[in-house]
Amino acid sequence: MRAAIVVFPGSNRDGDVARALRLAGAQVSKVWHADTALPEGTDLAVLPGGFSYGDYLRCGAIAGRAAAMDAVRAHAARGGLVLGICNGFQILCESGLLPGVLMRNVNRRFICHRQTLRVERNDTRFTSAYAKGQVIDVCVAHGEGNYFADPETLARIEGEGRVAFRYCDASGELTVDANRNGSLNAIAGIYSDNRNVLGLMPHPENFVEGLVGGTDGRGLFQSLAA
């Protein structure tokens, strides 16, 4: 697995996701957002969390039009894998690679806490190391993670089984308290129509080593590197 991490001026999780990928056995390189191509042989393009340039306008709106995103779109169109985490999820929506938008959290506050997620399916390149319905413990840290889509788009996402993860409690139940940012249908992450693009708000890269409090995020990177 050869992974290329696209770095924007405000990215701050690129080092964490690089470590998570290397621990899973992937080869990792980094690409500056102004670059016009991904490294030859790239299997996976990653948009990490943090803050991309221009987020004060709307998160990911300018980054979605960066030169590197043309290369990411071309990579996805060829069937290449793309992963966007937090700000990366926002960029994927703004770039047209995923439907919907990430809005301000329903309570208008930045949230940063441990979060349980329910894995909705395990037959994808991103989740094969998990069990369907498994509840995993990861972290969230965002101010604009409230997933929204119009009713027709939401129905299509649900009907096509494109929800990757939902916010849930420790027993896997979908509750208001577990869905603190107010996302529609408790959606924490979605796939593209052919499931080679995944965007999610939580940070699985934070929990890949027991030393920092958890390892439930490791499965996503192991799935990709398998």
Side-chain angles (χ1 to χ4, degrees):
M1 165 65 69
R2 295 182 180 179
I5 300 174
V6 181
V7 181
F8 295 86
S11 297
N12 59 29
R13 300 297 185 100
D14 48 305
D16 298 294
V17 78
R19 178 166 177 77
L21 285 163
R22 290 189 177 111
L23 286 172
Q27 299 177 40
V28 179
S29 59
K30 293 189 180 182
V31 176
W32 185 233
H33 72 112
D35 291 345
T36 57
L38 300 176
E40 188 173 351
T42 294
D43 301 300
L44 168 71
V46 182
L47 309 180
F51 301 92
S52 56
Y53 177 77
D55 279 355
Y56 54 90
L57 295 176
R58 190 176 69 238
C59 293
I62 291 179
R65 290 153 179 79
M69 288 307 298
D70 288 335
V72 172
R73 276 187 285 267
H75 174 71
R78 293 191 295 269
L81 297 170
V82 180
L83 170 66
I85 301 172
C86 198
N87 189 228
F89 186 13
Q90 296 162 343
I91 295 171
L92 288 176
C93 290
E94 294 291 340
S95 67
L97 282 167
L98 289 175
V101 65
L102 282 308
M103 301 172 61
R104 290 283 302 276
N105 296 341
V106 68
N107 62 8
R108 304 294 181 189
R109 295 190 174 198
F110 189 93
I111 58 175
C112 181
H113 57 85
R114 295 177 77 138
Q115 173 71 54
T116 43
L117 303 178
R118 192 173 73 194
V119 180
E120 293 299 288
R121 56 190 303 166
N122 67 343
D123 59 346
T124 77
R125 285 295 309 275
F126 300 89
T127 56
S128 60
Y130 295 119
K132 181 180 180 181
Q134 181 177 344
V135 175
I136 61 173
D137 174 26
V138 291
C139 300
V140 295
H142 57 252
E144 292 86 17
N146 181 356
Y147 182 78
F148 178 84
D150 62 79
E152 181 181 349
T153 300
L154 187 63
R156 187 171 67 252
I157 291 170
E158 293 284 1
E160 295 174 353
R162 290 166 55 185
V163 177
F165 304 99
R166 297 187 203 268
Y167 301 108
C168 69
D169 65 16
S171 63
E173 296 299 318
L174 308 183
T175 67
V176 173
D177 286 345
N179 183 20
R180 295 192 203 176
N181 62 25
S183 291
L184 289 176
N185 294 8
I187 289 174
I190 59 171
Y191 296 110
S192 59
D193 54 0
N194 56 0
R195 298 183 183 82
N196 65 321
V197 179
L198 168 64
L200 73 163
M201 284 311 295
H203 290 275
E205 76 276 17
N206 282 169
F207 273 3
V208 295
E209 296 178 277
L211 181 66
V212 294
T215 59
D216 282 4
R218 188 184 295 170
L220 187 144
F221 302 99
Q222 290 175 330
S223 300
L224 286 165

